[in-house]
Amino acid sequence: MDEIIEQLLHLCTTSSTLMAVYDAEDRLRYANPAFRSAYFIDPDEAPLWPDLMRRNFTLGRGTVIRTVDFDGWLRSTQSRRGKIGYRAFETDLVDGRWLWMTETMQKNGWMLCIASDITTLRAEGRSVRQDRDQAIKASQTDELTGIANRRFVMARIDDMLAGVRSGDIGCLAVFDIDNFKLINDKHGHDAGDLVLRDFAHRLHQYVRRTDCFGRVGGEEFVLVMPGTTQQDAIELIERMLTTIRFSRPLTASPDFGYTCSAGIAACLETDSAPDLYRRADQALYAAKLSGRDRVRAA
């Protein structure tokens, strides 16, 4: 067995194929020389993926990121990164290389990334495939906030429940911004849109890579939390609600603040997605009735 491991390590070290492993916090835990060279990572470095992407974007190297709003691109990408068991896509590097990248997820949140250089392959259909990838991204993203949309997040609920039926655990949280109609009526719909974006952006910083956070309509948002106990979910949501209490998103009204309420439901083996969502929504209703700006569990 030791000899096999040594041979595997030797192959990884000498291969031109890019290989990397990220942990559940999205920190790089292993990368072979080919991967480190392509993304400008020192041999002793173990950066978080968002930090690595931000650094390379700022320095104009690594992955080609076609945007002027890096934070918006990051939120959109993180909303999909690591949310399904396997994902494959094409990506360009600033140095002109063209990679076929795969991401394989483990239940514990660790991710294996493998990228092959396909620069020399026939490129007639390259723009078509890139357009296809952009269309897929758009179909999974909420246009206003940049996070996952209803279609994508509801599919992740189904994935979580499939795991629960195999012995895993999980929770679903439903959020609703308090008195949102009054915000629109008093400050206007443009201000309402700013509040929605602020809400999504502030909560997104707490979303773990194995979670999925999305907007499902209006001022309602959902957080899918596989592998999470109800108590851990409550503690996470409490931190989120505290962050929202201190937000002041309207520069024209510096004293304006807002709150939100949340309902949580732990998955049952017998749950369907509508069952789970209904219990979380009932808990949200209980949070509203008890005074808003709080979380309640089904």
Side-chain angles (χ1 to χ4, degrees), residues 145-258:
T145 62
I147 61 174
N149 63 11
R150 181 182 183 89
R151 175 187 298 177
F152 189 80
V153 76
M154 297 304 284
R156 304 292 75 76
I157 294 175
D158 289 333
D159 292 344
M160 177 171 66
L161 289 175
V164 169
R165 287 188 282 273
S166 299
D168 295 336
I169 60 173
C171 288
L172 177 70
V174 179
F175 300 85
D176 188 85
I177 297 175
D178 296 328
N179 300 310
F180 187 71
K181 184 179 184 302
L182 293 177
I183 295 173
N184 275 333
D185 291 345
K186 182 176 181 180
H187 298 276
H189 288 279
D190 287 343
D193 287 350
L194 284 174
V195 170
L196 290 171
R197 286 194 290 266
D198 179 77
F199 181 80
H201 299 173
R202 290 185 183 277
L203 262 61
H204 185 266
Q205 64 184 309
Y206 292 96
V207 177
R208 302 162 298 185
R209 199 185 60 208
T210 50
D211 300 338
C212 183
F213 178 55
R215 181 183 177 211
V216 294
E219 67 273 24
E220 189 168 307
F221 295 75
V222 163
L223 179 62
V224 184
M225 297 171 280
T228 304
T229 66
Q230 181 171 285
Q231 185 56 42
D232 287 342
I234 290 173
E235 292 175 1
L236 174 62
I237 304 307
E238 289 282 13
R239 292 197 296 273
M240 291 178 165
L241 267 57
T242 298
T243 295
I244 295 303
R245 290 183 196 115
F246 288 98
S247 178
R248 299 294 181 267
L250 304 183
T251 55
S253 303
D255 293 331
F256 168 83
Y258 69 103

Side-chain angles (χ1 to χ4, degrees), residues 19-23 25-32 35-36 39 41-49 52 81 110-111 113 209:
M19 304 178 192
V21 176
Y22 289 89
D23 66 17
E25 303 301 321
D26 225 357
R27 183 175 295 279
L28 185 69
R29 300 298 294 269
Y30 169 80
N32 70 346
F35 191 97
R36 289 183 178 274
Y39 291 99
I41 308 168
D42 291 338
D44 57 346
E45 266 195 294
L48 288 165
W49 180 82
L52 173 62
R81 176 177 164 84
W110 284 55
M111 175 193 288
C113 298
R209 199 185 60 208

Side-chain angles (χ1 to χ4, degrees), residues 50-181:
D51 295 340
L52 173 62
M53 299 306 289
R54 184 183 299 276
R55 181 178 71 188
N56 284 344
F57 175 76
T58 301
L59 296 174
R61 64 191 190 186
T63 299
V64 174
I65 300 175
R66 297 178 177 87
T67 184
V68 295
D69 177 13
F70 176 82
D71 288 321
W73 175 89
L74 183 63
R75 280 189 298 273
S76 176
T77 303
Q78 287 182 309
S79 293
R80 295 170 295 115
R81 176 177 164 84
K83 310 307 181 191
I84 57 178
Y86 177 83
R87 188 165 74 111
F89 54 94
E90 295 175 16
T91 187
D92 292 341
L93 297 182
V94 173
D95 64 16
R97 279 183 287 173
W98 175 21
L99 303 179
W100 176 254
M101 177 81 74
T102 65
E103 297 174 348
T104 305
M105 290 293 301
Q106 299 297 308
K107 285 186 177 181
N108 62 4
W110 284 55
M111 175 193 288
L112 171 65
C113 298
I114 297 178
S116 302
D117 188 337
I118 56 174
T119 308
T120 58
L121 297 183
R122 294 171 62 90
E124 287 86 346
R126 182 178 183 181
S127 62
V128 174
R129 290 190 296 271
Q130 289 177 329
D131 289 344
R132 175 207 60 199
D133 290 344
Q134 287 297 316
I136 291 173
K137 177 181 178 180
S139 73
Q140 298 171 342
T141 304
D142 177 63
E143 185 176 0
L144 177 64
T145 62
I147 61 174
N149 63 11
R150 181 182 183 89
R151 175 187 298 177
F152 189 80
V153 76
M154 297 304 284
R156 304 292 75 76
I157 294 175
D158 289 333
D159 292 344
M160 177 171 66
L161 289 175
V164 169
R165 287 188 282 273
S166 299
D168 295 336
I169 60 173
C171 288
L172 177 70
V174 179
F175 300 85
D176 188 85
I177 297 175
D178 296 328
N179 300 310
F180 187 71
K181 184 179 184 302

